[in-house]
Short mmCIF file of all heavy atoms in Angstrom, two decimals:
data_model
loop_
_atom_site.label_atom_id
_atom_site.label_comp_id
_atom_site.label_asym_id
_atom_site.label_seq_id
_atom_site.Cartn_x
_atom_site.Cartn_y
_atom_site.Cartn_z
N ASP A 103 -16.27 -3.55 7.69
CA ASP A 103 -15.36 -4.11 6.71
C ASP A 103 -15.70 -5.55 6.35
O ASP A 103 -15.01 -6.50 6.74
CB ASP A 103 -13.90 -4.00 7.16
CG ASP A 103 -12.93 -4.31 6.02
OD1 ASP A 103 -13.40 -4.58 4.89
OD2 ASP A 103 -11.72 -4.28 6.25
N PHE A 104 -16.74 -5.68 5.57
CA PHE A 104 -17.14 -6.99 5.06
C PHE A 104 -16.51 -7.22 3.68
O PHE A 104 -17.07 -7.89 2.83
CB PHE A 104 -18.67 -7.08 4.99
CG PHE A 104 -19.32 -7.32 6.32
CD1 PHE A 104 -19.46 -6.31 7.24
CD2 PHE A 104 -19.80 -8.58 6.65
CE1 PHE A 104 -20.07 -6.52 8.47
CE2 PHE A 104 -20.40 -8.81 7.88
CZ PHE A 104 -20.54 -7.78 8.79
N GLY A 105 -15.30 -6.69 3.49
CA GLY A 105 -14.62 -6.74 2.20
C GLY A 105 -14.29 -8.13 1.69
O GLY A 105 -14.22 -8.36 0.49
N VAL A 106 -14.04 -9.10 2.59
CA VAL A 106 -13.76 -10.47 2.14
C VAL A 106 -14.89 -11.41 2.56
O VAL A 106 -14.71 -12.63 2.60
CB VAL A 106 -12.38 -11.00 2.62
CG1 VAL A 106 -11.26 -10.19 2.03
CG2 VAL A 106 -12.29 -11.04 4.13
N ALA A 107 -16.06 -10.83 2.87
CA ALA A 107 -17.21 -11.65 3.24
C ALA A 107 -17.57 -12.57 2.08
O ALA A 107 -17.31 -12.27 0.91
CB ALA A 107 -18.40 -10.76 3.60
N LYS A 108 -18.18 -13.70 2.44
CA LYS A 108 -18.53 -14.68 1.42
C LYS A 108 -19.89 -15.28 1.74
O LYS A 108 -20.18 -15.56 2.90
CB LYS A 108 -17.48 -15.80 1.39
CG LYS A 108 -17.76 -16.86 0.34
CD LYS A 108 -16.74 -17.95 0.37
CE LYS A 108 -17.07 -18.94 -0.74
NZ LYS A 108 -16.70 -20.28 -0.45
N SER A 109 -20.68 -15.48 0.72
CA SER A 109 -21.95 -16.17 0.89
C SER A 109 -21.66 -17.65 1.07
O SER A 109 -20.92 -18.25 0.30
CB SER A 109 -22.83 -15.95 -0.34
OG SER A 109 -23.94 -16.81 -0.29
N VAL A 110 -22.25 -18.24 2.11
CA VAL A 110 -22.02 -19.66 2.35
C VAL A 110 -22.68 -20.52 1.29
O VAL A 110 -22.29 -21.67 1.09
CB VAL A 110 -22.49 -20.10 3.76
CG1 VAL A 110 -21.63 -19.47 4.83
CG2 VAL A 110 -23.95 -19.78 3.98
N ASP A 111 -23.66 -19.97 0.57
CA ASP A 111 -24.36 -20.73 -0.46
C ASP A 111 -23.83 -20.48 -1.86
O ASP A 111 -24.32 -21.06 -2.82
CB ASP A 111 -25.86 -20.38 -0.44
CG ASP A 111 -26.50 -20.74 0.89
OD1 ASP A 111 -26.09 -21.77 1.46
OD2 ASP A 111 -27.38 -20.00 1.34
N SER A 112 -22.83 -19.63 -1.98
CA SER A 112 -22.31 -19.28 -3.30
C SER A 112 -21.64 -20.48 -3.96
O SER A 112 -20.78 -21.12 -3.36
CB SER A 112 -21.29 -18.14 -3.19
OG SER A 112 -20.69 -17.91 -4.44
N PRO A 113 -22.02 -20.80 -5.20
CA PRO A 113 -21.36 -21.90 -5.90
C PRO A 113 -19.94 -21.52 -6.34
O PRO A 113 -19.12 -22.38 -6.62
CB PRO A 113 -22.27 -22.16 -7.11
CG PRO A 113 -22.98 -20.86 -7.33
CD PRO A 113 -23.09 -20.20 -5.98
N ARG A 114 -19.68 -20.21 -6.41
CA ARG A 114 -18.35 -19.74 -6.81
C ARG A 114 -17.43 -19.73 -5.61
O ARG A 114 -17.77 -19.24 -4.54
CB ARG A 114 -18.43 -18.29 -7.32
CG ARG A 114 -18.74 -18.18 -8.76
CD ARG A 114 -18.69 -16.72 -9.23
NE ARG A 114 -17.35 -16.18 -9.15
CZ ARG A 114 -17.07 -14.96 -8.75
NH1 ARG A 114 -18.01 -14.16 -8.37
NH2 ARG A 114 -15.83 -14.54 -8.74
N ASN A 115 -16.25 -20.26 -5.77
CA ASN A 115 -15.23 -20.18 -4.73
C ASN A 115 -14.39 -18.95 -5.01
O ASN A 115 -13.80 -18.84 -6.08
CB ASN A 115 -14.35 -21.43 -4.71
CG ASN A 115 -15.05 -22.59 -4.09
OD1 ASN A 115 -15.83 -22.42 -3.17
ND2 ASN A 115 -14.78 -23.78 -4.59
N LEU A 116 -14.37 -18.03 -4.06
CA LEU A 116 -13.58 -16.82 -4.23
C LEU A 116 -12.13 -17.07 -3.84
O LEU A 116 -11.27 -16.25 -4.08
CB LEU A 116 -14.16 -15.69 -3.37
CG LEU A 116 -15.60 -15.32 -3.69
CD1 LEU A 116 -16.08 -14.24 -2.73
CD2 LEU A 116 -15.76 -14.88 -5.12
N THR A 117 -11.89 -18.22 -3.23
CA THR A 117 -10.54 -18.58 -2.81
C THR A 117 -10.25 -19.99 -3.27
O THR A 117 -11.15 -20.73 -3.66
CB THR A 117 -10.41 -18.51 -1.28
OG1 THR A 117 -11.43 -19.32 -0.70
CG2 THR A 117 -10.55 -17.09 -0.77
N GLU A 118 -9.01 -20.36 -3.24
CA GLU A 118 -8.61 -21.69 -3.65
C GLU A 118 -8.55 -22.62 -2.45
O GLU A 118 -8.26 -22.18 -1.34
CB GLU A 118 -7.24 -21.62 -4.33
CG GLU A 118 -7.24 -20.68 -5.50
CD GLU A 118 -6.23 -21.09 -6.54
OE1 GLU A 118 -5.73 -22.22 -6.48
OE2 GLU A 118 -5.96 -20.28 -7.41
N PRO A 119 -8.81 -23.92 -2.65
CA PRO A 119 -8.70 -24.86 -1.54
C PRO A 119 -7.30 -24.79 -0.91
O PRO A 119 -6.30 -24.70 -1.62
CB PRO A 119 -8.94 -26.22 -2.19
CG PRO A 119 -9.70 -25.92 -3.45
CD PRO A 119 -9.22 -24.56 -3.89
N GLY A 120 -7.27 -24.79 0.43
CA GLY A 120 -5.99 -24.76 1.14
C GLY A 120 -5.40 -23.39 1.30
O GLY A 120 -4.33 -23.23 1.88
N VAL A 121 -6.08 -22.35 0.81
CA VAL A 121 -5.58 -20.98 0.93
C VAL A 121 -6.42 -20.25 1.96
O VAL A 121 -7.64 -20.16 1.85
CB VAL A 121 -5.66 -20.23 -0.43
CG1 VAL A 121 -5.24 -18.77 -0.27
CG2 VAL A 121 -4.81 -20.93 -1.47
N ALA A 122 -5.77 -19.73 3.00
CA ALA A 122 -6.46 -19.01 4.07
C ALA A 122 -6.69 -17.56 3.66
O ALA A 122 -5.82 -16.93 3.10
CB ALA A 122 -5.63 -19.07 5.35
N VAL A 123 -7.90 -17.07 3.94
CA VAL A 123 -8.26 -15.68 3.65
C VAL A 123 -8.59 -15.00 4.97
O VAL A 123 -9.28 -15.56 5.80
CB VAL A 123 -9.49 -15.61 2.72
CG1 VAL A 123 -9.97 -14.18 2.57
CG2 VAL A 123 -9.15 -16.19 1.36
N GLY A 124 -8.09 -13.78 5.15
CA GLY A 124 -8.36 -13.03 6.37
C GLY A 124 -7.05 -12.63 7.03
O GLY A 124 -5.97 -12.92 6.52
N THR A 125 -7.16 -11.97 8.17
CA THR A 125 -5.99 -11.55 8.92
C THR A 125 -5.55 -12.71 9.80
O THR A 125 -6.31 -13.18 10.65
CB THR A 125 -6.33 -10.31 9.78
OG1 THR A 125 -6.81 -9.28 8.90
CG2 THR A 125 -5.11 -9.82 10.54
N ALA A 126 -4.34 -13.19 9.58
CA ALA A 126 -3.85 -14.40 10.24
C ALA A 126 -3.99 -14.35 11.75
O ALA A 126 -4.36 -15.36 12.37
CB ALA A 126 -2.40 -14.66 9.85
N ASP A 127 -3.75 -13.22 12.36
CA ASP A 127 -3.72 -13.12 13.83
C ASP A 127 -5.02 -13.53 14.52
O ASP A 127 -5.01 -13.88 15.68
CB ASP A 127 -3.36 -11.70 14.25
CG ASP A 127 -2.03 -11.24 13.69
OD1 ASP A 127 -1.07 -12.03 13.72
OD2 ASP A 127 -1.96 -10.10 13.19
N TYR A 128 -6.14 -13.47 13.82
CA TYR A 128 -7.44 -13.70 14.46
C TYR A 128 -8.24 -14.84 13.82
O TYR A 128 -9.36 -15.09 14.24
CB TYR A 128 -8.27 -12.41 14.42
CG TYR A 128 -7.53 -11.26 15.05
CD1 TYR A 128 -6.81 -10.35 14.27
CD2 TYR A 128 -7.49 -11.11 16.43
CE1 TYR A 128 -6.09 -9.32 14.85
CE2 TYR A 128 -6.77 -10.08 17.02
CZ TYR A 128 -6.07 -9.20 16.22
OH TYR A 128 -5.35 -8.19 16.80
N MET A 129 -7.69 -15.51 12.84
CA MET A 129 -8.49 -16.52 12.14
C MET A 129 -8.64 -17.80 12.96
O MET A 129 -7.84 -18.10 13.84
CB MET A 129 -7.95 -16.80 10.75
CG MET A 129 -6.57 -17.37 10.66
SD MET A 129 -6.04 -17.74 8.94
CE MET A 129 -6.35 -16.25 8.06
N SER A 130 -9.69 -18.53 12.64
CA SER A 130 -9.98 -19.79 13.31
C SER A 130 -9.04 -20.88 12.80
O SER A 130 -8.45 -20.74 11.72
CB SER A 130 -11.43 -20.21 13.02
OG SER A 130 -11.57 -20.54 11.64
N PRO A 131 -8.89 -21.97 13.57
CA PRO A 131 -8.04 -23.06 13.09
C PRO A 131 -8.49 -23.60 11.73
O PRO A 131 -7.66 -23.84 10.84
CB PRO A 131 -8.17 -24.13 14.18
CG PRO A 131 -8.47 -23.35 15.42
CD PRO A 131 -9.34 -22.21 14.94
N GLU A 132 -9.80 -23.75 11.53
CA GLU A 132 -10.28 -24.27 10.24
C GLU A 132 -10.01 -23.30 9.11
O GLU A 132 -9.70 -23.69 7.98
CB GLU A 132 -11.76 -24.68 10.31
CG GLU A 132 -12.74 -23.59 10.67
CD GLU A 132 -13.00 -23.40 12.15
OE1 GLU A 132 -12.11 -23.72 12.99
OE2 GLU A 132 -14.07 -22.89 12.50
#
Side-chain angles (χ1 to χ4, degrees):
D103 192 1
F104 283 76
V106 296
K108 181 182 182 211
S109 169
V110 293
D111 298 324
S112 174
R114 273 184 66 220
N115 284 326
L116 301 177
T117 54
E118 303 209 14
V121 176
V123 172
T125 303
D127 302 316
Y128 305 97
M129 63 178 52
S130 68
E132 60 271 27

